[in-house]
Amino acid sequence: MENQNTDNNSPAMARINPVRLGYDSRFQFKCHPGVSCFTLCCRGIDILLTPYDIIRLKTRLELSSAEFLAIYTEPHLLEKTDLPMVTLKKMDDEQASCPFVRDTGCLVYEDRPTACRYYPLGVASLQHQEGADDQGFFFFVNEPHCKGFEEACDWTVAEWRTDQGVDVRDAVNAEWTDLLVRKRSFPSSIKLTEKAKQMFFMVSYDVDKLRRFVFESSFLQRMPVAEDVRQQLASDDVALLQFGLRWFKDVLYKQRDPHAQAAAAGGDNVQ
């Protein structure tokens, strides 16, 4: 996609033309209960969840990772990577609504997923990979019903990301995003074993099971960590997530034979 019309300030033009946006690109947008389309963007869509999204939501709802995953998510395999992803399970209503949306707004707004925070922007290239373009690659989510573009509130992409807190979330999810980017570089003939996929799923989404894997198996005997790190991993979900992702990436990608590395990643079985 060529970089065209990025300086065009017309919201209508921005929604019609596929435009590559950078951090300094400007747009008009504001969503609030007074717009006629309020909450329509929360219905009939697939909301992809990141690892940090799940930590925030399961903590908000006072659920374990496994409980949250079972009640609120659906598993998928991400195209081109063959890695497991999860989306929010839709409600069984005519609009296939997000389970947390009501006519008055979002029930978990302070902990809403990253995809919701980015709206009306989408991320066209995964960030944080080695050698990534610092300018980023964003685009408008084209939904004709959206009236937020008609609101007189001006942003740059960078300002929007900071205001919505996605810059912080992208930083937490950086190792996970890098894993996805690296997996895309695998030749299509190379497939991960089912055990490797299960390990990726646990490390990415089931932080409570990951903690049991680290502390209740022989993991720490095979990979000793400092006592202060051990204490942090025992209580801090974000620290454990990032530790687990770094470990999985190192095991899976250190050698050129991913099948052998995936097998090595299996470790002990923890239920």
Side-chain angles (χ1 to χ4, degrees):
M1 184 184 303
E2 294 183 356
N3 187 359
Q4 58 178 338
N5 295 332
T6 51
D7 293 328
N8 192 317
N9 291 322
S10 167
M13 287 294 291
R15 283 182 288 154
I16 293 172
N17 295 325
V19 179
R20 175 171 176 157
L21 305 173
Y23 286 102
D24 295 329
S25 299
R26 306 196 70 86
F27 66 100
Q28 287 183 192
F29 183 81
K30 186 176 182 180
C31 181
H32 57 88
V35 295
S36 60
C37 59
F38 188 61
T39 76
L40 285 182
C41 58
C42 307
R43 306 175 193 275
I45 58 170
D46 293 317
I47 301 175
L48 180 69
L49 297 177
T50 70
Y52 189 46
D53 291 338
I54 292 176
I55 287 176
R56 290 289 296 263
L57 287 168
K58 70 106 175 175
T59 301
R60 169 71 174 259
L61 299 172
E62 299 182 347
L63 297 172
S64 69
S65 304
E67 289 170 334
F68 177 81
L69 289 166
I71 297 170
Y72 289 106
T73 73
E74 294 180 347
H76 307 271
L77 286 178
L78 186 64
E79 186 180 3
K80 296 183 180 180
T81 68
D82 201 35
L83 289 173
M85 301 283 114
V86 293
T87 58
L88 267 181
K89 189 180 295 183
K90 300 171 187 174
M91 292 179 63
D92 187 19
D93 61 10
E94 292 182 358
Q95 296 174 298
S97 304
C98 166
F100 303 119
V101 71
R102 300 294 183 268
D103 290 341
T104 54
C106 178
L107 297 177
V108 293
Y109 186 78
E110 295 82 2
D111 300 293
R112 66 197 184 280
T114 303
C116 305
R117 293 169 180 267
Y118 257 112
Y119 190 87
L121 299 178
V123 184
S125 63
L126 296 170
Q127 306 300 303
H128 308 294
Q129 70 261 42
E130 294 180 8
D133 183 352
D134 289 339
Q135 291 304 306
F137 186 172
F138 309 93
F139 62 94
F140 288 118
V141 176
N142 297 322
E143 293 194 303
H145 68 253
C146 183
K147 304 300 182 184
F149 287 104
E150 299 174 3
E151 298 292 303
C153 191
D154 190 62
W155 308 87
T156 65
V157 170
E159 290 169 344
W160 180 255
R161 293 180 74 251
T162 299
D163 183 78
Q164 298 296 304
V166 290
D167 51 351
V168 174
R169 286 170 176 261
D170 284 352
V172 173
N173 288 315
E175 294 287 352
W176 179 74
T177 306
D178 189 53
L179 264 170
L180 303 186
V181 172
R182 287 172 180 262
K183 179 59 178 67
R184 285 186 174 182
S185 68
F186 276 32
S188 59
S189 59
I190 296 180
K191 303 293 184 181
L192 297 186
T193 64
E194 287 305 311
K195 176 171 282 189
K197 292 178 185 179
Q198 292 171 11
M199 294 297 293
F200 175 82
F201 188 92
M202 177 187 70
V203 169
S204 299
Y205 309 120
D206 197 340
V207 70
D208 295 324
K209 184 175 181 179
L210 175 61
R211 183 168 284 113
R212 294 194 299 274
F213 173 76
V214 170
F215 287 97
E216 298 177 15
S217 74
S218 62
F219 180 89
L220 292 176
Q221 297 174 20
R222 292 179 285 111
M223 186 176 176
V225 298
E227 181 58 31
D228 60 333
V229 175
R230 182 189 294 249
Q231 293 180 7
Q232 185 180 29
L233 298 181
S235 59
D236 188 327
D237 284 349
V238 172
L240 180 62
L241 166 68
Q242 294 177 322
F243 173 85
L245 288 167
R246 288 192 297 269
W247 164 76
F248 184 82
K249 184 169 66 175
D250 182 65
V251 169
L252 197 58
Y253 298 103
K254 180 183 291 184
Q255 303 296 330
R256 299 181 66 88
D257 181 1
H259 284 85
Q261 292 303 304
D268 302 320
N269 291 324
V270 176
Q271 301 298 320

Coordinates of all heavy atoms in Angstrom, one line a residue, residues 19-77:
V19 N -5.3 4.5 3.6 CA -4.2 5.5 3.9 C -3.2 4.9 4.9 O -3.7 4.4 6.0 CB -4.8 6.8 4.4 CG1 -3.6 7.8 4.7 CG2 -5.8 7.4 3.4
R20 N -2.0 5.0 4.6 CA -0.9 4.6 5.5 C -0.7 5.7 6.4 O -0.3 6.8 6.0 CB 0.3 4.1 4.8 CG 1.5 3.8 5.8 CD 2.6 3.1 5.0 NE 3.7 2.9 6.0 CZ 4.7 2.0 5.8 NH1 4.6 1.2 4.7 NH2 5.6 1.9 6.6
L21 N -0.8 5.5 7.8 CA -0.6 6.6 8.7 C 0.6 6.3 9.6 O 0.9 5.2 9.9 CB -1.8 6.7 9.7 CG -3.2 6.8 9.0 CD1 -4.3 6.7 10.0 CD2 -3.3 8.2 8.3
G22 N 1.3 7.4 10.0 CA 2.4 7.3 10.9 C 2.1 8.0 12.2 O 1.0 8.5 12.4
Y23 N 3.0 8.1 13.1 CA 2.7 8.6 14.4 C 2.3 10.1 14.4 O 1.6 10.6 15.2 CB 4.0 8.5 15.3 CG 4.2 7.1 15.8 CD1 5.1 6.3 15.2 CD2 3.4 6.5 16.8 CE1 5.3 5.0 15.7 CE2 3.6 5.3 17.3 CZ 4.6 4.5 16.7 OH 4.8 3.2 17.1
D24 N 2.8 10.8 13.4 CA 2.5 12.3 13.3 C 1.3 12.6 12.4 O 0.9 13.7 12.3 CB 3.7 13.0 12.7 CG 4.9 13.0 13.6 OD1 4.7 12.9 14.8 OD2 6.0 13.0 13.1
S25 N 0.7 11.6 11.8 CA -0.5 11.8 11.0 C -1.7 12.3 11.9 O -1.8 11.8 13.0 CB -1.0 10.5 10.3 OG 0.0 10.0 9.4
R26 N -2.5 13.2 11.3 CA -3.6 13.8 12.1 C -4.9 13.3 11.6 O -5.1 13.0 10.5 CB -3.5 15.3 12.0 CG -2.1 15.9 12.4 CD -2.2 17.4 12.6 NE -2.9 17.7 13.9 CZ -2.4 17.7 15.1 NH1 -1.1 17.5 15.2 NH2 -3.1 17.9 16.1
F27 N -5.9 13.3 12.6 CA -7.3 12.9 12.3 C -8.2 13.5 13.3 O -7.8 14.0 14.4 CB -7.4 11.4 12.2 CG -7.2 10.7 13.5 CD1 -8.3 10.3 14.3 CD2 -5.9 10.4 14.0 CE1 -8.1 9.6 15.5 CE2 -5.8 9.8 15.2 CZ -6.9 9.4 16.0
Q28 N -9.5 13.6 12.9 CA -10.5 14.1 13.9 C -11.3 12.9 14.3 O -11.8 12.0 13.5 CB -11.4 15.0 13.2 CG -10.9 16.4 12.9 CD -11.9 17.3 12.3 OE1 -11.5 18.4 11.8 NE2 -13.1 16.9 12.3
F29 N -11.5 12.8 15.6 CA -12.4 11.7 16.2 C -12.7 11.9 17.6 O -11.9 12.4 18.4 CB -11.7 10.3 16.0 CG -12.5 9.2 16.5 CD1 -13.5 8.7 15.6 CD2 -12.4 8.6 17.7 CE1 -14.3 7.6 16.0 CE2 -13.2 7.6 18.1 CZ -14.1 7.0 17.3
K30 N -13.9 11.6 18.0 CA -14.3 11.5 19.4 C -15.5 10.6 19.5 O -16.5 10.8 18.8 CB -14.6 12.9 20.0 CG -14.9 12.9 21.5 CD -15.1 14.3 22.0 CE -15.3 14.3 23.5 NZ -15.5 15.7 24.0
C31 N -15.5 9.7 20.5 CA -16.6 8.8 20.8 C -17.2 9.2 22.1 O -16.4 9.3 23.1 CB -16.2 7.4 20.7 SG -17.5 6.2 21.0
H32 N -18.5 9.3 22.2 CA -19.1 9.6 23.5 C -20.6 9.3 23.4 O -21.1 9.0 22.3 CB -18.9 11.1 23.9 CG -19.5 12.0 22.8 ND1 -20.8 12.5 22.8 CD2 -18.9 12.6 21.8 CE1 -21.0 13.3 21.8 NE2 -19.8 13.4 21.1
P33 N -21.3 9.2 24.5 CA -22.7 8.7 24.5 C -23.6 9.6 23.6 O -24.7 9.2 23.2 CB -23.2 8.8 25.9 CG -21.9 8.6 26.7 CD -20.8 9.3 25.9
G34 N -23.2 10.8 23.3 CA -24.0 11.7 22.5 C -24.0 11.4 21.0 O -24.9 12.0 20.3
V35 N -23.1 10.6 20.5 CA -23.1 10.3 19.1 C -24.1 9.2 18.8 O -24.3 8.3 19.6 CB -21.7 9.9 18.6 CG1 -20.7 11.0 18.7 CG2 -21.2 8.6 19.3
S36 N -24.7 9.3 17.6 CA -25.8 8.4 17.3 C -25.4 7.0 17.2 O -26.3 6.0 17.3 CB -26.5 8.9 16.0 OG -25.6 8.8 14.9
C37 N -24.2 6.7 16.9 CA -23.7 5.3 16.7 C -23.1 4.7 17.9 O -22.5 3.7 17.9 CB -22.7 5.3 15.5 SG -21.2 6.3 15.9
F38 N -23.2 5.4 19.1 CA -22.6 4.9 20.3 C -22.8 3.4 20.6 O -24.0 3.0 20.5 CB -23.1 5.7 21.5 CG -22.3 5.5 22.8 CD1 -21.0 5.8 22.9 CD2 -23.0 5.0 23.9 CE1 -20.3 5.5 24.0 CE2 -22.3 4.8 25.1 CZ -21.0 5.1 25.2
T39 N -21.8 2.7 20.7 CA -21.7 1.2 21.0 C -21.9 0.3 19.8 O -21.7 -0.9 19.9 CB -22.6 0.8 22.2 OG1 -24.0 0.7 21.7 CG2 -22.5 1.6 23.4
L40 N -22.2 0.9 18.6 CA -22.4 0.1 17.5 C -21.0 -0.6 17.1 O -21.0 -1.8 16.6 CB -22.9 0.9 16.3 CG -24.3 1.3 16.3 CD1 -24.7 2.0 15.0 CD2 -25.2 0.0 16.4
C41 N -19.9 0.0 17.4 CA -18.6 -0.6 17.0 C -18.3 -1.8 17.9 O -17.3 -2.5 17.7 CB -17.5 0.5 17.1 SG -17.4 1.3 18.7
C42 N -19.1 -2.0 19.0 CA -18.9 -3.1 19.9 C -19.7 -4.3 19.6 O -19.8 -5.2 20.4 CB -19.2 -2.6 21.4 SG -18.3 -1.1 21.9
R43 N -20.3 -4.3 18.4 CA -21.3 -5.4 18.1 C -20.9 -5.9 16.7 O -20.5 -5.2 15.8 CB -22.7 -4.8 18.1 CG -23.0 -4.2 19.4 CD -24.4 -3.5 19.4 NE -24.6 -2.6 20.6 CZ -25.0 -3.0 21.8 NH1 -25.3 -4.3 22.0 NH2 -25.2 -2.2 22.8
G44 N -21.0 -7.2 16.6 CA -20.8 -7.9 15.3 C -19.3 -7.8 14.8 O -19.1 -7.8 13.6
I45 N -18.4 -7.9 15.8 CA -17.0 -7.8 15.4 C -16.2 -8.9 16.2 O -16.7 -9.4 17.2 CB -16.4 -6.4 15.7 CG1 -16.5 -6.1 17.2 CG2 -17.0 -5.4 14.8 CD1 -15.7 -4.9 17.6
D46 N -15.1 -9.3 15.7 CA -14.2 -10.2 16.4 C -13.1 -9.3 17.1 O -12.4 -8.6 16.4 CB -13.5 -11.1 15.4 CG -14.5 -12.1 14.8 OD1 -15.4 -12.6 15.5 OD2 -14.4 -12.4 13.6
I47 N -13.0 -9.4 18.4 CA -12.1 -8.6 19.2 C -10.9 -9.6 19.6 O -11.1 -10.4 20.5 CB -12.7 -8.0 20.4 CG1 -13.9 -7.1 20.0 CG2 -11.7 -7.2 21.2 CD1 -14.7 -6.5 21.1
L48 N -9.8 -9.4 18.9 CA -8.6 -10.2 19.3 C -8.0 -9.7 20.6 O -7.8 -8.5 20.8 CB -7.5 -10.0 18.2 CG -6.3 -10.8 18.3 CD1 -6.5 -12.3 18.2 CD2 -5.2 -10.3 17.3
L49 N -7.7 -10.7 21.5 CA -7.2 -10.3 22.8 C -5.7 -10.6 22.8 O -5.2 -11.6 22.3 CB -7.9 -11.2 23.9 CG -9.4 -11.0 24.0 CD1 -9.9 -11.9 25.1 CD2 -9.7 -9.5 24.4
T50 N -5.0 -9.6 23.4 CA -3.5 -9.8 23.6 C -3.3 -10.4 25.0 O -4.2 -10.4 25.9 CB -2.8 -8.5 23.6 OG1 -3.2 -7.7 24.7 CG2 -3.2 -7.7 22.3
P51 N -2.1 -10.9 25.3 CA -1.8 -11.4 26.6 C -2.2 -10.5 27.8 O -2.7 -10.8 28.8 CB -0.3 -11.8 26.6 CG -0.1 -12.1 25.1 CD -1.0 -11.1 24.4
Y52 N -1.8 -9.2 27.6 CA -2.0 -8.2 28.7 C -3.5 -7.9 28.8 O -4.0 -7.7 29.9 CB -1.3 -6.9 28.4 CG -1.3 -5.9 29.5 CD1 -1.1 -6.4 30.8 CD2 -1.5 -4.6 29.3 CE1 -1.1 -5.5 31.9 CE2 -1.5 -3.7 30.3 CZ -1.3 -4.1 31.6 OH -1.3 -3.2 32.7
D53 N -4.3 -8.0 27.7 CA -5.7 -7.8 27.8 C -6.3 -8.8 28.7 O -7.2 -8.5 29.6 CB -6.4 -8.0 26.4 CG -6.1 -6.9 25.4 OD1 -5.7 -5.8 25.9 OD2 -6.2 -7.1 24.2
I54 N -5.9 -10.1 28.6 CA -6.4 -11.2 29.4 C -6.1 -11.0 30.9 O -6.9 -11.2 31.8 CB -5.9 -12.5 28.9 CG1 -6.6 -12.8 27.5 CG2 -6.3 -13.6 29.9 CD1 -6.1 -14.0 26.8
I55 N -4.8 -10.6 31.2 CA -4.4 -10.3 32.6 C -5.3 -9.2 33.2 O -5.8 -9.4 34.3 CB -2.9 -9.9 32.6 CG1 -2.1 -11.1 32.4 CG2 -2.6 -9.3 34.0 CD1 -0.6 -10.9 32.3
R56 N -5.5 -8.1 32.4 CA -6.3 -7.0 33.0 C -7.8 -7.5 33.2 O -8.4 -7.2 34.2 CB -6.3 -5.8 32.0 CG -4.9 -5.1 32.0 CD -4.6 -4.4 33.3 NE -5.6 -3.3 33.5 CZ -5.4 -2.0 33.1 NH1 -4.2 -1.7 32.5 NH2 -6.3 -1.1 33.3
L57 N -8.3 -8.2 32.2 CA -9.8 -8.5 32.3 C -10.0 -9.6 33.4 O -11.0 -9.5 34.1 CB -10.3 -9.0 30.9 CG -10.4 -7.9 29.9 CD1 -10.6 -8.5 28.5 CD2 -11.6 -7.0 30.3
K58 N -9.2 -10.6 33.4 CA -9.4 -11.7 34.4 C -9.2 -11.1 35.8 O -9.9 -11.6 36.8 CB -8.5 -12.9 34.1 CG -7.0 -12.7 34.4 CD -6.6 -13.4 35.7 CE -5.1 -13.3 35.9 NZ -4.6 -13.9 37.1
T59 N -8.3 -10.2 36.0 CA -8.1 -9.5 37.3 C -9.3 -8.7 37.6 O -9.8 -8.7 38.8 CB -6.8 -8.7 37.3 OG1 -5.7 -9.5 37.0 CG2 -6.6 -8.0 38.7
R60 N -9.8 -7.9 36.7 CA -11.0 -7.1 36.9 C -12.2 -7.9 37.3 O -13.0 -7.5 38.2 CB -11.3 -6.3 35.6 CG -12.6 -5.6 35.5 CD -12.7 -4.4 36.4 NE -13.9 -3.6 36.2 CZ -14.0 -2.5 35.5 NH1 -12.9 -2.0 34.8 NH2 -15.1 -1.8 35.4
L61 N -12.4 -9.1 36.7 CA -13.5 -9.9 36.9 C -13.3 -10.9 38.1 O -14.2 -11.7 38.4 CB -13.9 -10.7 35.7 CG -14.2 -9.8 34.5 CD1 -14.4 -10.7 33.2 CD2 -15.5 -9.0 34.7
E62 N -12.1 -10.9 38.7 CA -11.7 -11.8 39.8 C -11.9 -13.2 39.4 O -12.5 -14.1 40.1 CB -12.5 -11.4 41.0 CG -12.3 -10.0 41.5 CD -13.1 -9.7 42.8 OE1 -14.0 -10.5 43.2 OE2 -12.8 -8.7 43.4
L63 N -11.3 -13.6 38.2 CA -11.4 -14.9 37.7 C -9.9 -15.4 37.5 O -9.0 -14.6 37.4 CB -12.1 -15.0 36.3 CG -13.6 -14.6 36.3 CD1 -14.0 -14.5 34.9 CD2 -14.4 -15.6 37.1
S64 N -9.8 -16.7 37.5 CA -8.5 -17.3 37.1 C -8.4 -17.2 35.6 O -9.4 -16.9 34.9 CB -8.4 -18.8 37.5 OG -9.3 -19.6 36.7
S65 N -7.1 -17.3 35.1 CA -7.0 -17.3 33.6 C -7.8 -18.4 32.9 O -8.5 -18.1 31.9 CB -5.5 -17.6 33.3 OG -4.6 -16.7 33.9
A66 N -7.8 -19.6 33.5 CA -8.6 -20.7 32.9 C -10.1 -20.4 32.9 O -10.8 -20.6 31.9 CB -8.3 -22.0 33.6
E67 N -10.6 -19.8 34.0 CA -12.0 -19.4 34.0 C -12.4 -18.4 33.0 O -13.4 -18.5 32.3 CB -12.3 -19.0 35.5 CG -12.3 -20.1 36.5 CD -12.4 -19.5 37.9 OE1 -12.0 -18.4 38.1 OE2 -12.9 -20.3 38.8
F68 N -11.5 -17.3 32.9 CA -11.8 -16.3 32.0 C -11.8 -16.8 30.5 O -12.7 -16.5 29.7 CB -10.8 -15.1 32.1 CG -11.0 -14.1 31.1 CD1 -12.0 -13.1 31.2 CD2 -10.2 -14.0 29.9 CE1 -12.2 -12.1 30.3 CE2 -10.4 -13.1 28.9 CZ -11.4 -12.1 29.1
L69 N -10.8 -17.6 30.2 CA -10.7 -18.2 28.9 C -11.9 -19.0 28.5 O -12.4 -19.0 27.4 CB -9.4 -19.0 28.7 CG -8.1 -18.2 28.7 CD1 -6.9 -19.1 28.9 CD2 -7.9 -17.4 27.4
A70 N -12.3 -19.8 29.5 CA -13.5 -20.7 29.2 C -14.8 -20.0 29.1 O -15.6 -20.4 28.2 CB -13.6 -21.8 30.4
I71 N -15.0 -18.9 29.8 CA -16.2 -18.2 29.8 C -16.3 -17.2 28.7 O -17.4 -17.1 28.1 CB -16.5 -17.5 31.2 CG1 -16.6 -18.6 32.3 CG2 -17.7 -16.7 31.2 CD1 -16.5 -17.9 33.7
Y72 N -15.2 -16.5 28.5 CA -15.3 -15.3 27.6 C -14.6 -15.4 26.3 O -14.6 -14.4 25.5 CB -14.8 -14.1 28.4 CG -15.7 -13.7 29.5 CD1 -15.4 -13.9 30.8 CD2 -16.9 -13.0 29.2 CE1 -16.2 -13.5 31.9 CE2 -17.8 -12.6 30.3 CZ -17.4 -12.9 31.6 OH -18.3 -12.5 32.6
T73 N -13.9 -16.4 26.0 CA -13.1 -16.4 24.8 C -13.3 -17.6 23.8 O -13.9 -18.6 24.3 CB -11.6 -16.4 25.1 OG1 -11.1 -17.7 25.5 CG2 -11.2 -15.3 26.1
E74 N -12.9 -17.4 22.6 CA -12.9 -18.5 21.6 C -11.6 -18.6 21.0 O -10.9 -17.6 20.6 CB -14.0 -18.2 20.5 CG -15.4 -18.2 21.0 CD -16.4 -17.9 19.9 OE1 -15.9 -17.5 18.8 OE2 -17.6 -18.1 20.1
P75 N -11.0 -19.9 20.8 CA -9.7 -20.0 20.3 C -9.7 -20.1 18.7 O -10.7 -20.5 18.1 CB -9.3 -21.4 20.8 CG -10.6 -22.2 20.9 CD -11.6 -21.1 21.3
H76 N -8.6 -19.6 18.1 CA -8.5 -19.6 16.7 C -7.0 -19.9 16.4 O -6.1 -19.7 17.3 CB -8.9 -18.3 16.1 CG -10.2 -17.8 16.4 ND1 -11.4 -18.1 15.7 CD2 -10.7 -17.0 17.4 CE1 -12.4 -17.6 16.3 NE2 -12.0 -16.9 17.3
L77 N -6.7 -20.2 15.1 CA -5.3 -20.3 14.7 C -5.1 -19.0 13.8 O -5.8 -18.8 12.9 CB -5.1 -21.5 13.9 CG -4.9 -22.8 14.7 CD1 -4.7 -24.0 13.8 CD2 -3.8 -22.7 15.7

